[in-house]
Amino acid sequence: FRVPMRIFCRQTLKEYFDPSEHFLLTKLGFDKYEELFGYHYPFGKYDQIYCPEYVIGAMENVGAITFNERYIFKEKPDEIVRL
């Protein structure tokens, strides 16, 4: 993939987190937006950061999206919760 991607979370949550689905969905999203708008992602990296005690759900920043770590599920969520 042409944009380097990384995902960060606390070590204590690592066992519950499988980044492969996140990377797949992110890459599909990049492809779709590039197809729709005819414009490539303009930044040199894309990070997803899961933050403890983060008040809001998520925030988009240039080159990084920060998420509340409650979106890392400790048990497999049902389809409604995932969406």
mmCIF file of all heavy atoms in Angstrom, residues 4 17 26 40 49 57 83:
data_model
loop_
_atom_site.group_PDB
_atom_site.id
_atom_site.type_symbol
_atom_site.label_atom_id
_atom_site.label_comp_id
_atom_site.label_asym_id
_atom_site.label_seq_id
_atom_site.Cartn_x
_atom_site.Cartn_y
_atom_site.Cartn_z
ATOM 1 N N PRO A 4 2.164 4.529 4.444
ATOM 2 C CA PRO A 4 2.496 3.755 5.639
ATOM 3 C C PRO A 4 1.414 3.925 6.702
ATOM 4 O O PRO A 4 0.964 5.039 6.974
ATOM 5 C CB PRO A 4 3.814 4.360 6.119
ATOM 6 C CG PRO A 4 4.350 5.138 4.976
ATOM 7 C CD PRO A 4 3.165 5.541 4.139
ATOM 8 N N PHE A 17 -6.714 -7.133 20.504
ATOM 9 C CA PHE A 17 -6.705 -6.304 19.307
ATOM 10 C C PHE A 17 -6.050 -7.028 18.139
ATOM 11 O O PHE A 17 -4.909 -7.462 18.231
ATOM 12 C CB PHE A 17 -5.951 -5.007 19.612
ATOM 13 C CG PHE A 17 -6.107 -3.963 18.567
ATOM 14 C CD1 PHE A 17 -7.299 -3.286 18.424
ATOM 15 C CD2 PHE A 17 -5.071 -3.658 17.720
ATOM 16 C CE1 PHE A 17 -7.459 -2.316 17.462
ATOM 17 C CE2 PHE A 17 -5.207 -2.692 16.748
ATOM 18 C CZ PHE A 17 -6.402 -2.026 16.628
ATOM 19 N N THR A 26 -9.338 0.146 6.385
ATOM 20 C CA THR A 26 -8.737 1.446 6.074
ATOM 21 C C THR A 26 -8.278 1.485 4.622
ATOM 22 O O THR A 26 -8.534 2.461 3.906
ATOM 23 C CB THR A 26 -7.550 1.724 7.018
ATOM 24 O OG1 THR A 26 -8.040 1.716 8.368
ATOM 25 C CG2 THR A 26 -6.919 3.067 6.724
ATOM 26 N N HIS A 40 -5.568 11.121 -4.465
ATOM 27 C CA HIS A 40 -4.899 10.255 -3.506
ATOM 28 C C HIS A 40 -4.777 10.939 -2.146
ATOM 29 O O HIS A 40 -4.731 12.166 -2.057
ATOM 30 C CB HIS A 40 -3.489 9.892 -3.994
ATOM 31 C CG HIS A 40 -3.490 9.047 -5.229
ATOM 32 N ND1 HIS A 40 -3.910 7.747 -5.222
ATOM 33 C CD2 HIS A 40 -3.149 9.322 -6.506
ATOM 34 C CE1 HIS A 40 -3.822 7.249 -6.432
ATOM 35 N NE2 HIS A 40 -3.361 8.191 -7.243
ATOM 36 N N ILE A 49 -4.717 5.670 16.546
ATOM 37 C CA ILE A 49 -4.231 5.655 17.923
ATOM 38 C C ILE A 49 -5.419 5.482 18.861
ATOM 39 O O ILE A 49 -6.348 6.297 18.841
ATOM 40 C CB ILE A 49 -3.489 6.960 18.250
ATOM 41 C CG1 ILE A 49 -2.379 7.199 17.226
ATOM 42 C CG2 ILE A 49 -2.955 6.939 19.681
ATOM 43 C CD1 ILE A 49 -1.852 8.615 17.193
ATOM 44 N N GLY A 57 -15.415 10.085 21.077
ATOM 45 C CA GLY A 57 -15.276 8.812 20.372
ATOM 46 C C GLY A 57 -14.045 8.741 19.498
ATOM 47 O O GLY A 57 -13.286 7.783 19.538
ATOM 48 N N LEU A 83 -20.864 -2.405 13.691
ATOM 49 C CA LEU A 83 -21.176 -1.363 12.717
ATOM 50 C C LEU A 83 -21.389 -0.060 13.414
ATOM 51 O O LEU A 83 -21.144 0.986 12.939
ATOM 52 C CB LEU A 83 -22.391 -1.756 11.885
ATOM 53 C CG LEU A 83 -22.215 -3.034 11.064
ATOM 54 C CD1 LEU A 83 -23.524 -3.382 10.373
ATOM 55 C CD2 LEU A 83 -21.111 -2.874 10.039
#
